[in-house]
Amino acid sequence: MDSNMNGLAMSNGCEISRDGFFESEEEELQGQAEAWKCTFAFAESLAVKCVVLLGIPDMIAREGPRATLSLDEIVAKLPTESPDAACLFRIMRFLVAKGIFRASKSAREGGAFETRYGLTPASKWLVKGRELSMAPMLLMQNDKTTLAPWHHFNECVLEGGVAFKKANGAEIWSYASDHPDFNNLFNNAMACNARIVMKAILSKYQGFHSLNSLVDVGGGTGTAVAEIVRAYPFITGINYDLPHVVATASSLSGVQHVGGDMFETVPTGDAIFMKWIMHDWNDEDCIKILKNCRKAIPDTGKVIIVDVVLDADQGDNTDKKRKKAVDPIVGTVFDLVMVAHSSGGKERTEKEWKRILLEGGFSRYNIIEIPALQSVIEAFPR
Ligand SMILES: C[S@@+](CC[C@H](N)C(=O)[O-])C[C@H]1O[C@@H](n2cnc3c(N)ncnc32)[C@H](O)[C@@H]1O
């Protein structure tokens, strides 16, 4: 590295400022690379959204989990007459670099080589046609309606308020009831996550054996309770959600759909199941819901909550450090998803859970780790 007359260091022809703001040239360049990554962090989500919409993971999966397709073969499967293959090549090149697809070279007649694209563990989760798929969640989280609230975070910090409402003119549940397409997009995303998480719950949590009836509060279109009833056919399942949600639910064996408002009342049962409900609400609302759940179960009953348990805040040693199956950073990302989409919801540490459970009428609880982002929090009135 040479110095020029202005006291600037020269590296690869670039001038590096030497005002002492950065500790070293290495730190300065590393920081710049990180800042570029932040600047374009959206590119990966939106390029993935594009290939999911085009069904490219499905095209490859249909040939087999280890199959590969060339660009020409993919383009031939697209539904328009003259797709822009060069544009798709650039998107695929980026996604190979990001590990969403793998690329291999294969020899063609005449000595030329072609690139063939295969699935990676990430894109195997993005095949829409499989029962366990994250594609509906990816499409919902990257819809214009759900991305728009993120543009209002600065206003939320400065003046408070609900990001989703600032962006879309209404809070999420009433917006969903007035927009059937968004309602379906949201409910499908929830159902896809319910299938994935129920597999994890049923593999690790033994607490359904003693139940004859179970109410899934905020159960969406009933996927979770249907899975529980399938595994424990002696349980009568009730799927309880807002009327506009249960109106779109299919009939499910062993499950009764009931429309209503959990802030008003909750149907009775031996136990209440709530997956991804509490995180949508502030502490006071959660306590109201928990009190209604308490009224709906016998003294020997319980609530089974499926939600994230965040690691304790730095400097707080009261909670145990948990060994999570999914990188705990995803829990803090979901906390921001709550800023974007809910009206006061948040992810909680064990200490925060303990407080709302106690105030909601549940004096005892266990946290059971499952191979998923969320944990099971089983809480008892006595
Ligand atoms: C994040 S979703 C979770 C859905 C489902 N439990 C799951 O995990 O797949 C929250 C659910 O709460 C429902 N919900 C919102 N407000 C409600 C209310 N006042 N009473 C009943 N359900 C409500 C929504 O319609 C939505 O289905």
Side-chain angles (χ1 to χ4, degrees):
M1 186 164 64
D2 307 317
S3 281
N4 73 6
M5 304 231 306
N6 302 321
L8 292 167
M10 303 284 291
S11 172
N12 299 330
C14 300
E15 291 187 344
I16 309 274
S17 90
R18 277 273 161 267
D19 62 1
F21 190 57
F22 290 95
E23 294 291 324
S24 63
E25 180 191 356
E26 193 191 356
E27 187 203 79
E28 183 167 2
L29 288 176
Q30 217 170 23
Q32 193 182 119
E34 291 296 324
W36 276 120
K37 263 201 233 163
C38 300
T39 304
F40 291 116
F42 63 86
E44 186 173 354
S45 308
L46 295 182
V48 174
K49 177 181 174 180
C50 159
V51 293
V52 169
L53 286 173
L54 294 173
I56 293 175
D58 289 75
M59 288 175 194
I60 302 173
R62 271 196 286 276
E63 307 296 321
R66 278 167 289 281
T68 57
L69 290 178
S70 68
L71 192 73
D72 289 348
E73 287 166 338
I74 294 173
V75 166
K77 292 176 192 292
L78 292 173
T80 49
E81 287 223 333
S82 44
D84 189 338
C87 178
L88 181 60
F89 166 75
R90 290 152 70 189
I91 293 166
M92 294 299 281
R93 178 173 60 186
F94 173 65
L95 292 177
V96 167
K98 298 302 286 184
I100 305 296
F101 293 105
R102 64 191 163 84
S104 53
K105 295 268 180 230
S106 114
R108 292 174 91 164
E109 271 177 43
F113 282 88
E114 73 176 358
T115 304
R116 300 188 66 81
Y117 300 97
L119 298 174
T120 62
S123 43
K124 284 181 179 174
W125 275 105
L126 299 170
V127 177
K128 286 183 278 192
R130 280 177 59 79
E131 199 199 351
L132 296 185
S133 171
M134 288 180 63
M137 181 61 77
L138 180 122
L139 294 177
M140 186 274 278
Q141 295 292 352
N142 290 283
D143 186 64
K144 283 182 184 164
T145 313
T146 40
L147 283 181
W150 292 78
H151 294 269
H152 293 267
F153 276 20
N154 57 333
E155 294 157 44
C156 292
V157 170
L158 291 174
E159 65 201 38
V162 175
F164 193 93
K165 190 170 181 186
K166 287 177 194 288
N168 297 307
E171 295 189 10
I172 189 164
W173 311 122
S174 73
Y175 184 90
S177 81
D178 293 340
H179 295 81
D181 286 350
F182 179 73
N183 189 32
N184 284 335
L185 188 72
F186 186 89
N187 294 335
N188 287 342
M190 290 303 131
C192 98
N193 183 262
R195 278 190 287 275
I196 295 166
V197 175
M198 285 321 299
K199 187 168 169 246
I201 293 174
L202 291 169
S203 75
K204 280 275 181 282
Y205 176 65
Q206 305 301 323
F208 297 115
H209 285 103
S210 57
L211 307 176
N212 291 312
S213 59
L214 180 69
V215 184
D216 187 355
V217 170
T221 47
T223 306
V225 70
E227 293 288 319
I228 297 168
V229 168
R230 194 151 62 137
Y232 299 92
F234 51 85
I235 296 180
T236 301
I238 294 169
N239 177 52
Y240 184 59
D241 207 298
L242 293 167
H244 71 266
V245 177
V246 293
T248 66
S250 318
S251 128
L252 300 164
S253 172
V255 176
Q256 188 195 351
H257 294 295
V258 177
D261 181 349
M262 64 194 171
F263 288 101
E264 300 286 323
T265 179
V266 162
T268 54
D270 291 342
I272 306 288
F273 184 81
M274 279 192 285
K275 173 179 163 288
W276 259 356
I277 301 302
M278 300 274 105
H279 79 163
D280 288 331
W281 303 98
N282 66 29
D283 288 356
E284 284 57 48
D285 286 335
C286 284
I287 292 164
K288 272 187 218 154
I289 300 167
L290 285 167
K291 284 184 173 166
N292 283 345
C293 292
R294 173 65 191 94
K295 281 187 218 147
I297 55 167
D299 290 349
T300 51
K302 60 185 169 187
V303 287
I304 303 159
I305 294 169
V306 182
D307 246 314
V308 166
V309 179
L310 285 181
D311 279 342
D313 292 332
Q314 279 175 351
D316 183 343
N317 296 323
T318 44
D319 298 358
K320 273 177 263 145
K321 186 111 180 126
R322 317 195 153 271
K323 196 165 171 348
K324 296 295 303 172
V326 173
D327 186 346
I329 192 75
V330 184
T332 52
V333 173
F334 258 95
D335 188 48
L336 294 187
V337 173
M338 292 306 109
V339 175
H341 299 163
S342 78
S343 316
K346 60 179 185 176
E347 304 298 349
R348 294 179 167 86
T349 62
E350 181 175 348
K351 195 169 154 186
E352 291 170 314
W353 278 111
K354 193 173 174 176
R355 185 180 95 73
I356 58 169
L357 286 171
L358 265 176
E359 290 202 29
F362 294 86
S363 54
R364 219 159 41 86
Y365 70 90
N366 301 315
I367 297 181
I368 299 120
E369 293 305 335
I370 53 168
L373 170 65
Q374 301 96 327
S375 306
V376 173
I377 307 165
E378 188 186 41
F380 307 87
R382 316 208 146 164

